[in-house]
Amino acid sequence: MGWYAKNIKTPLLDWVMSQKPLMMQRDKVVPLAGGRVLEVGMGTGLNLSFYDADKVEKVWGLDPSSELKELAVKRAREAGLDLELIGLSGEEIPADDDSFDSIVVTYTLCTIPDAGRALLEMRRVLKPGGDLIYCEHGEAPDEDVRRWQNRLNPVWKRIAGGCNLNRRIPELISAAGFSLPEPETMYIPGPRALSFNYWGVAKAP
């Protein structure tokens, strides 16, 4: 890990993604996971403190950014979780079909270059009837906010590591073949173009 990644990039990313409104959203969904769990977009492991260790057999954390690994390992140890890290993106999950009971994805579908392909991979490795537990930001319901999202998105993607402001999260999940009950939604505190959230549990067929 280079000096910049270790001392600037990783702490800054961890600080941004650990703001109180985001952590409150994580607390709504992550405890729902159980059994063999795959977390797509593990990052620095900010979800790990929210898992119910009594329900979770093991967590596999998928993330292409090796510089984030150290913090994730530390947080898994503090949470009493068995964690295995996999240094790949969500479009390529090195697991057999029907391998996991739960998949957790939070604030990640906005950034994966081919989110549709990644969700198809998640469906493949999730057991029939298994849970895709998600919390994401995306396209807002209000036309004035959507206009700003569309205007800002090309610049935002460049400065925010590929993050998209305007992805249609429920449509992406449904298109991958998941059964998707109506998600919960709200603007969390923050700039409205960045803060419309969707969360819930989708089921693998």
Side-chain angles (χ1 to χ4, degrees), residues 98-178:
D98 308 335
S99 291
F100 300 102
D101 301 293
S102 307
I103 293 178
V104 173
V105 56
T106 61
Y107 303 111
T108 296
L109 293 176
C110 60
T111 304
I112 296 174
D114 190 343
R117 178 181 167 193
L119 283 160
L120 287 172
E121 274 288 271
M122 293 181 218
R123 194 191 76 183
R124 178 184 68 80
V125 301
L126 192 57
K127 293 178 181 178
D131 293 330
L132 174 67
I133 299 161
Y134 67 95
C135 181
E136 298 286 339
H137 74 95
E139 184 183 69
D142 300 294
E143 186 177 349
D144 59 333
V145 180
R146 287 199 304 272
R147 283 199 298 266
W148 275 108
Q149 289 179 320
N150 294 333
R151 288 184 192 125
L152 293 170
N153 200 62
V155 174
W156 180 256
K157 277 182 69 173
R158 289 198 295 271
I159 66 175
C163 174
N164 290 271
L165 299 173
N166 55 358
R167 283 190 170 165
R168 297 174 176 177
I169 300 302
E171 290 183 20
L172 285 168
I173 294 173
S174 294
F178 288 96

Side-chain angles (χ1 to χ4, degrees), residues 77-94:
R77 187 165 55 245
E78 291 170 350
L81 294 168
D82 184 6
L83 173 66
E84 181 176 333
L85 292 172
I86 305 166
L88 292 171
S89 180
E91 297 101 333
E92 184 181 2
I93 301 176

Side-chain angles (χ1 to χ4, degrees), residues 2 5 11 14 19 23 34 38 44 58 61 69 73 82 87 90 93 95 104 118 125 134 146 157 161 167 184 191 194:
D14 190 64
Q19 295 303 297
M23 298 302 276
L38 173 67
T44 59
K58 181 175 178 176
K69 177 179 178 180
V73 169
D82 184 6
I93 301 176
V104 173
V125 301
Y134 67 95
R146 287 199 304 272
K157 277 182 69 173
R167 283 190 170 165
E184 296 195 62
L194 283 70

